[in-house]
Amino acid sequence: MTAKPRMSQRAGILARALNAVITRRPLGTPPGTAAIRHSSEVRSMVLVLTLTEIPLAFLVSEILPPPGRPPHAVLELALILTGFGILAAMARNPHTISADRVALRTGFLGAIELPRPMVRSATHAMRTIEGRGLRRVPNEASAVACSIGSSVNMRVHLEEPLPMDLGDGQSLDVDTVYISADSPEAVTRALKNSTVHL
């Protein structure tokens, strides 16, 4: 029902997504499946930080003594590639809605896959839920958040509580999932256009 990747798995997700972008591999969304992008605010912030890091790396390198430049270059390259990897992972892992499945994704911090018949509706819900990735929602015992940042703008309602494992060893019966979507209207439209109607 849920997937919360470990650190090594996250690194693999970033590397594969970046490679797919570089090689211009198609997203491969199956026919009849709607793909909805998410996390636009986080994407914008990561893009600015990553692009800022490039000239900053050259400036810092000029200040460092020659022996310190190679290790610094390796560190900066890793930071920049990580930034671009995060951007690629968010772009390559959108939310997807089909007649069978509703996959709610963060990019590289986990995902929730739900049977489409179990999703009753989705509504606008602007709020801040501290943390990132898959996490419990404070003061809502049966709700989880699935977003890369703390800002969410949609609430997905389930037909009945479903048991989910958030990676902390305890099962949680969930009837609400908070997500971020660049186009909330696209989410509601995709749900309405799937074979199970709201």
Side-chain angles (χ1 to χ4, degrees):
M1 192 63 62
T2 65
K4 191 169 185 178
R6 295 187 300 272
M7 190 63 71
S8 60
Q9 291 172 315
R10 292 175 185 173
I13 291 169
L14 297 184
R16 286 190 299 276
L18 187 56
N19 181 57
V21 169
I22 291 170
T23 58
R24 300 185 179 206
R25 201 172 335 139
L27 192 57
T29 305
T33 299
I36 297 110
R37 296 184 75 162
H38 56 82
S39 312
S40 59
E41 291 181 5
V42 175
R43 285 200 319 269
S44 298
M45 182 183 66
V46 172
L47 179 61
V48 168
L49 291 174
T50 303
L51 293 178
T52 303
E53 192 66 31
I54 296 171
L56 187 61
F58 286 101
L59 291 174
V60 173
S61 182
E62 290 296 318
I63 299 169
L64 291 174
R69 290 177 184 169
H72 173 258
V74 170
L75 175 64
E76 289 291 352
L77 182 61
L79 284 172
I80 292 165
L81 288 176
T82 299
F84 283 122
I86 290 170
L87 292 169
M90 285 189 280
R92 300 282 308 176
N93 294 283
H95 303 310
T96 56
I97 298 172
S98 70
D100 300 319
R101 310 290 299 171
V102 174
L104 307 172
R105 299 186 172 102
T106 64
F108 67 101
L109 294 177
I112 296 174
E113 289 203 11
L114 303 164
R116 172 61 188 90
M118 292 303 300
V119 178
R120 184 174 74 233
S121 63
T123 57
H124 288 262
M126 292 292 298
R127 64 178 292 186
T128 299
I129 301 170
E130 289 303 318
R132 61 184 189 271
L134 302 176
R135 59 200 184 278
R136 298 172 188 269
V137 177
N139 304 319
E140 289 190 49
S142 60
V144 295
C146 180
S147 64
I148 197 167
S150 57
S151 295
V152 296
N153 61 356
M154 292 209 79
R155 180 190 293 120
V156 177
H157 305 275
L158 306 184
E159 287 288 352
E160 61 186 50
L162 289 177
M164 293 187 188
D165 180 9
L166 300 183
D168 57 6
Q170 297 179 351
S171 182
L172 179 68
D173 289 332
V174 173
D175 63 12
T176 304
V177 182
Y178 289 93
I179 64 169
S180 167
D182 290 2
S183 174
E185 295 77 15
V187 174
T188 55
R189 187 168 54 250
L191 288 172
K192 287 178 182 176
N193 289 340
S194 58
T195 56
V196 177
H197 297 289
L198 297 176

Short mmCIF file of all heavy atoms in Angstrom, two decimals, residues 105-150:
data_model
loop_
_atom_site.label_atom_id
_atom_site.label_comp_id
_atom_site.label_asym_id
_atom_site.label_seq_id
_atom_site.Cartn_x
_atom_site.Cartn_y
_atom_site.Cartn_z
N ARG A 105 2.55 10.43 -5.36
CA ARG A 105 4.00 10.34 -5.24
C ARG A 105 4.62 11.63 -4.71
O ARG A 105 4.07 12.72 -4.86
CB ARG A 105 4.60 10.00 -6.59
CG ARG A 105 4.13 8.67 -7.12
CD ARG A 105 4.85 8.28 -8.40
NE ARG A 105 4.54 6.93 -8.80
CZ ARG A 105 3.68 6.62 -9.77
NH1 ARG A 105 3.05 7.58 -10.44
NH2 ARG A 105 3.45 5.37 -10.07
N THR A 106 5.81 11.49 -4.14
CA THR A 106 6.58 12.64 -3.70
C THR A 106 7.75 12.92 -4.64
O THR A 106 8.32 13.98 -4.59
CB THR A 106 7.16 12.41 -2.29
OG1 THR A 106 8.08 11.31 -2.34
CG2 THR A 106 6.07 12.11 -1.28
N GLY A 107 8.12 11.97 -5.44
CA GLY A 107 9.30 12.09 -6.29
C GLY A 107 10.33 11.07 -5.89
O GLY A 107 10.63 10.15 -6.64
N PHE A 108 10.87 11.21 -4.67
CA PHE A 108 11.88 10.25 -4.22
C PHE A 108 11.77 9.93 -2.73
O PHE A 108 12.55 9.15 -2.19
CB PHE A 108 13.30 10.77 -4.52
CG PHE A 108 13.68 11.99 -3.72
CD1 PHE A 108 14.50 11.89 -2.62
CD2 PHE A 108 13.21 13.24 -4.09
CE1 PHE A 108 14.85 13.02 -1.88
CE2 PHE A 108 13.56 14.37 -3.37
CZ PHE A 108 14.38 14.26 -2.27
N LEU A 109 10.76 10.48 -2.05
CA LEU A 109 10.60 10.24 -0.62
C LEU A 109 9.45 9.29 -0.31
O LEU A 109 9.00 9.21 0.82
CB LEU A 109 10.39 11.57 0.12
CG LEU A 109 11.58 12.52 0.13
CD1 LEU A 109 11.21 13.82 0.82
CD2 LEU A 109 12.78 11.89 0.79
N GLY A 110 8.97 8.59 -1.32
CA GLY A 110 7.94 7.60 -1.09
C GLY A 110 6.69 7.85 -1.92
O GLY A 110 6.56 8.87 -2.59
N ALA A 111 5.78 6.91 -1.85
CA ALA A 111 4.54 6.97 -2.63
C ALA A 111 3.48 6.14 -1.95
O ALA A 111 3.77 5.28 -1.12
CB ALA A 111 4.78 6.46 -4.05
N ILE A 112 2.24 6.43 -2.30
CA ILE A 112 1.10 5.63 -1.85
C ILE A 112 0.34 5.21 -3.09
O ILE A 112 -0.02 6.05 -3.91
CB ILE A 112 0.17 6.43 -0.92
CG1 ILE A 112 0.90 6.82 0.36
CG2 ILE A 112 -1.09 5.63 -0.58
CD1 ILE A 112 0.09 7.73 1.27
N GLU A 113 0.10 3.90 -3.23
CA GLU A 113 -0.70 3.41 -4.35
C GLU A 113 -2.00 2.85 -3.79
O GLU A 113 -2.00 2.02 -2.89
CB GLU A 113 0.06 2.34 -5.12
CG GLU A 113 1.21 2.92 -5.92
CD GLU A 113 1.63 2.05 -7.09
OE1 GLU A 113 0.90 1.10 -7.41
OE2 GLU A 113 2.69 2.32 -7.65
N LEU A 114 -3.10 3.35 -4.36
CA LEU A 114 -4.42 2.99 -3.88
C LEU A 114 -5.24 2.37 -5.00
O LEU A 114 -5.14 2.81 -6.15
CB LEU A 114 -5.16 4.23 -3.37
CG LEU A 114 -4.46 5.03 -2.27
CD1 LEU A 114 -5.10 6.41 -2.14
CD2 LEU A 114 -4.55 4.28 -0.95
N PRO A 115 -6.08 1.37 -4.69
CA PRO A 115 -7.02 0.91 -5.71
C PRO A 115 -7.99 2.04 -6.03
O PRO A 115 -8.50 2.71 -5.12
CB PRO A 115 -7.75 -0.26 -5.00
CG PRO A 115 -6.90 -0.61 -3.83
CD PRO A 115 -6.18 0.64 -3.43
N ARG A 116 -8.23 2.28 -7.31
CA ARG A 116 -9.10 3.40 -7.70
C ARG A 116 -10.48 3.33 -7.03
O ARG A 116 -11.00 4.37 -6.59
CB ARG A 116 -9.22 3.46 -9.24
CG ARG A 116 -10.26 4.45 -9.75
CD ARG A 116 -9.92 5.88 -9.32
NE ARG A 116 -10.97 6.82 -9.65
CZ ARG A 116 -11.99 7.13 -8.83
NH1 ARG A 116 -12.10 6.55 -7.67
NH2 ARG A 116 -12.88 8.03 -9.20
N PRO A 117 -11.12 2.16 -6.91
CA PRO A 117 -12.43 2.12 -6.27
C PRO A 117 -12.43 2.60 -4.82
O PRO A 117 -13.47 2.97 -4.29
CB PRO A 117 -12.84 0.64 -6.36
CG PRO A 117 -12.05 0.10 -7.50
CD PRO A 117 -10.75 0.84 -7.48
N MET A 118 -11.24 2.59 -4.17
CA MET A 118 -11.18 3.02 -2.77
C MET A 118 -11.10 4.54 -2.62
O MET A 118 -11.22 5.06 -1.51
CB MET A 118 -9.97 2.36 -2.07
CG MET A 118 -10.12 0.87 -1.90
SD MET A 118 -11.60 0.39 -0.97
CE MET A 118 -11.31 1.23 0.57
N VAL A 119 -10.86 5.25 -3.72
CA VAL A 119 -10.75 6.71 -3.66
C VAL A 119 -12.13 7.31 -3.94
O VAL A 119 -12.67 7.17 -5.03
CB VAL A 119 -9.72 7.24 -4.67
CG1 VAL A 119 -9.65 8.76 -4.62
CG2 VAL A 119 -8.35 6.64 -4.38
N ARG A 120 -12.70 7.95 -2.93
CA ARG A 120 -14.04 8.51 -3.06
C ARG A 120 -14.03 9.87 -3.75
O ARG A 120 -14.81 10.13 -4.66
CB ARG A 120 -14.71 8.63 -1.69
CG ARG A 120 -16.15 9.12 -1.77
CD ARG A 120 -16.83 9.12 -0.42
NE ARG A 120 -16.34 10.20 0.42
CZ ARG A 120 -15.86 10.06 1.65
NH1 ARG A 120 -15.79 8.87 2.19
NH2 ARG A 120 -15.44 11.09 2.33
N SER A 121 -13.13 10.78 -3.31
CA SER A 121 -13.11 12.13 -3.86
C SER A 121 -11.80 12.82 -3.50
O SER A 121 -11.01 12.32 -2.70
CB SER A 121 -14.29 12.95 -3.32
OG SER A 121 -14.17 13.09 -1.91
N ALA A 122 -11.61 14.00 -4.11
CA ALA A 122 -10.46 14.85 -3.79
C ALA A 122 -10.94 16.29 -3.75
O ALA A 122 -11.67 16.72 -4.65
CB ALA A 122 -9.35 14.68 -4.83
N THR A 123 -10.55 17.02 -2.72
CA THR A 123 -11.00 18.40 -2.56
C THR A 123 -9.82 19.31 -2.26
O THR A 123 -8.76 18.85 -1.81
CB THR A 123 -12.01 18.52 -1.40
OG1 THR A 123 -11.40 18.01 -0.20
CG2 THR A 123 -13.28 17.73 -1.69
N HIS A 124 -9.99 20.60 -2.52
CA HIS A 124 -8.96 21.58 -2.19
C HIS A 124 -8.79 21.65 -0.68
O HIS A 124 -9.78 21.64 0.06
CB HIS A 124 -9.35 22.96 -2.72
CG HIS A 124 -9.25 23.08 -4.21
ND1 HIS A 124 -8.15 23.63 -4.83
CD2 HIS A 124 -10.09 22.70 -5.19
CE1 HIS A 124 -8.34 23.59 -6.14
NE2 HIS A 124 -9.51 23.03 -6.38
N ALA A 125 -7.55 21.73 -0.23
CA ALA A 125 -7.27 21.84 1.20
C ALA A 125 -5.90 22.46 1.39
O ALA A 125 -4.91 21.75 1.54
CB ALA A 125 -7.35 20.47 1.87
N MET A 126 -5.82 23.77 1.36
CA MET A 126 -4.54 24.46 1.54
C MET A 126 -4.15 24.42 3.01
O MET A 126 -4.89 24.91 3.87
CB MET A 126 -4.65 25.92 1.08
CG MET A 126 -4.84 26.10 -0.41
SD MET A 126 -3.40 25.61 -1.37
CE MET A 126 -2.18 26.75 -0.78
N ARG A 127 -3.00 23.84 3.30
CA ARG A 127 -2.50 23.83 4.68
C ARG A 127 -1.03 23.45 4.70
O ARG A 127 -0.46 23.02 3.70
CB ARG A 127 -3.33 22.91 5.56
CG ARG A 127 -3.26 21.44 5.19
CD ARG A 127 -4.07 20.57 6.13
NE ARG A 127 -3.47 20.54 7.47
CZ ARG A 127 -3.91 19.77 8.44
NH1 ARG A 127 -4.97 19.00 8.26
NH2 ARG A 127 -3.32 19.76 9.61
N THR A 128 -0.44 23.60 5.87
CA THR A 128 0.96 23.24 6.08
C THR A 128 1.01 22.08 7.06
O THR A 128 0.41 22.15 8.14
CB THR A 128 1.75 24.44 6.64
OG1 THR A 128 1.70 25.51 5.70
CG2 THR A 128 3.20 24.06 6.89
N ILE A 129 1.70 21.03 6.66
CA ILE A 129 1.90 19.86 7.51
C ILE A 129 3.40 19.64 7.63
O ILE A 129 4.06 19.30 6.65
CB ILE A 129 1.20 18.61 6.93
CG1 ILE A 129 -0.30 18.88 6.77
CG2 ILE A 129 1.45 17.40 7.82
CD1 ILE A 129 -1.03 17.80 6.00
N GLU A 130 3.93 19.90 8.80
CA GLU A 130 5.38 19.84 8.99
C GLU A 130 5.95 18.49 8.58
O GLU A 130 5.32 17.45 8.76
CB GLU A 130 5.73 20.12 10.45
CG GLU A 130 5.52 21.57 10.86
CD GLU A 130 6.30 22.56 10.01
OE1 GLU A 130 7.47 22.28 9.70
OE2 GLU A 130 5.73 23.59 9.64
N GLY A 131 7.15 18.53 8.03
CA GLY A 131 7.85 17.32 7.62
C GLY A 131 7.86 17.18 6.12
O GLY A 131 7.48 18.09 5.38
N ARG A 132 8.33 16.02 5.66
CA ARG A 132 8.37 15.75 4.23
C ARG A 132 8.26 14.25 4.02
O ARG A 132 8.51 13.46 4.92
CB ARG A 132 9.64 16.31 3.59
CG ARG A 132 10.92 15.74 4.13
CD ARG A 132 12.14 16.43 3.52
NE ARG A 132 13.36 15.76 3.87
CZ ARG A 132 14.08 16.02 4.95
NH1 ARG A 132 13.67 16.95 5.79
NH2 ARG A 132 15.18 15.37 5.20
N GLY A 133 7.86 13.88 2.81
CA GLY A 133 7.68 12.47 2.52
C GLY A 133 6.36 11.95 3.07
O GLY A 133 5.40 12.70 3.26
N LEU A 134 6.32 10.65 3.35
CA LEU A 134 5.14 10.04 3.95
C LEU A 134 5.19 10.25 5.44
O LEU A 134 6.16 9.88 6.09
CB LEU A 134 5.11 8.54 3.63
CG LEU A 134 5.11 8.16 2.16
CD1 LEU A 134 5.17 6.64 2.01
CD2 LEU A 134 3.91 8.71 1.45
N ARG A 135 4.10 10.81 6.00
CA ARG A 135 4.12 11.11 7.43
C ARG A 135 2.70 11.22 7.98
O ARG A 135 1.75 11.44 7.24
CB ARG A 135 4.88 12.42 7.70
CG ARG A 135 4.27 13.61 6.96
CD ARG A 135 5.30 14.73 6.85
NE ARG A 135 4.73 15.93 6.24
CZ ARG A 135 4.60 16.13 4.94
NH1 ARG A 135 4.94 15.18 4.09
NH2 ARG A 135 4.10 17.27 4.47
N ARG A 136 2.62 11.07 9.28
CA ARG A 136 1.34 11.23 9.97
C ARG A 136 0.97 12.71 10.01
O ARG A 136 1.84 13.58 9.96
CB ARG A 136 1.43 10.69 11.39
CG ARG A 136 1.73 9.19 11.44
CD ARG A 136 2.01 8.74 12.87
NE ARG A 136 2.49 7.38 12.90
CZ ARG A 136 1.69 6.32 13.02
NH1 ARG A 136 0.40 6.49 13.13
NH2 ARG A 136 2.19 5.11 13.01
N VAL A 137 -0.32 12.98 10.12
CA VAL A 137 -0.82 14.34 10.21
C VAL A 137 -1.20 14.61 11.67
O VAL A 137 -2.04 13.88 12.21
CB VAL A 137 -2.05 14.56 9.29
CG1 VAL A 137 -2.61 15.96 9.46
CG2 VAL A 137 -1.66 14.30 7.85
N PRO A 138 -0.59 15.60 12.30
CA PRO A 138 -0.92 15.89 13.70
C PRO A 138 -2.41 16.18 13.88
O PRO A 138 -3.03 16.84 13.04
CB PRO A 138 -0.08 17.14 14.01
CG PRO A 138 1.02 17.12 13.01
CD PRO A 138 0.45 16.49 11.78
N ASN A 139 -2.97 15.67 14.95
CA ASN A 139 -4.37 15.90 15.33
C ASN A 139 -5.39 15.27 14.38
O ASN A 139 -6.58 15.57 14.46
CB ASN A 139 -4.68 17.40 15.47
CG ASN A 139 -3.76 18.08 16.47
OD1 ASN A 139 -3.47 17.52 17.52
ND2 ASN A 139 -3.27 19.26 16.13
N GLU A 140 -4.92 14.42 13.45
CA GLU A 140 -5.83 13.67 12.59
C GLU A 140 -5.36 12.22 12.60
O GLU A 140 -4.45 11.85 11.85
CB GLU A 140 -5.87 14.23 11.17
CG GLU A 140 -6.56 15.57 11.06
CD GLU A 140 -6.79 15.97 9.61
OE1 GLU A 140 -7.31 15.14 8.83
OE2 GLU A 140 -6.44 17.11 9.27
N ALA A 141 -5.99 11.43 13.43
CA ALA A 141 -5.51 10.06 13.68
C ALA A 141 -5.55 9.18 12.44
O ALA A 141 -4.76 8.23 12.33
CB ALA A 141 -6.33 9.42 14.80
N SER A 142 -6.44 9.46 11.50
CA SER A 142 -6.57 8.59 10.33
C SER A 142 -6.12 9.26 9.04
O SER A 142 -6.57 8.90 7.96
CB SER A 142 -8.03 8.13 10.20
OG SER A 142 -8.88 9.26 10.04
N ALA A 143 -5.21 10.23 9.15
CA ALA A 143 -4.74 10.95 7.96
C ALA A 143 -3.23 10.87 7.85
O ALA A 143 -2.51 10.83 8.85
CB ALA A 143 -5.17 12.42 8.02
N VAL A 144 -2.75 10.85 6.59
CA VAL A 144 -1.32 10.93 6.32
C VAL A 144 -1.10 12.00 5.25
O VAL A 144 -2.01 12.37 4.52
CB VAL A 144 -0.73 9.58 5.82
CG1 VAL A 144 -0.83 8.52 6.89
CG2 VAL A 144 -1.40 9.13 4.54
N ALA A 145 0.12 12.49 5.21
CA ALA A 145 0.53 13.42 4.15
C ALA A 145 1.53 12.71 3.26
O ALA A 145 2.36 11.93 3.74
CB ALA A 145 1.15 14.68 4.75
N CYS A 146 1.44 12.98 1.97
CA CYS A 146 2.35 12.40 0.99
C CYS A 146 2.82 13.54 0.09
O CYS A 146 2.23 13.81 -0.95
CB CYS A 146 1.63 11.31 0.18
SG CYS A 146 2.65 10.52 -1.06
N SER A 147 3.85 14.25 0.54
CA SER A 147 4.36 15.41 -0.21
C SER A 147 5.82 15.60 0.10
O SER A 147 6.30 15.24 1.18
CB SER A 147 3.57 16.67 0.15
OG SER A 147 3.75 17.00 1.51
N ILE A 148 6.53 16.21 -0.86
CA ILE A 148 7.97 16.42 -0.66
C ILE A 148 8.24 17.64 0.21
O ILE A 148 9.28 17.75 0.83
CB ILE A 148 8.69 16.55 -2.02
CG1 ILE A 148 10.19 16.34 -1.85
CG2 ILE A 148 8.38 17.87 -2.70
CD1 ILE A 148 10.92 16.14 -3.13
N GLY A 149 7.27 18.56 0.28
CA GLY A 149 7.39 19.73 1.13
C GLY A 149 6.28 19.77 2.16
O GLY A 149 5.42 18.89 2.21
N SER A 150 6.28 20.81 2.99
CA SER A 150 5.27 20.90 4.04
C SER A 150 3.94 21.46 3.55
O SER A 150 2.92 21.29 4.19
CB SER A 150 5.80 21.77 5.19
OG SER A 150 6.16 23.05 4.73
#
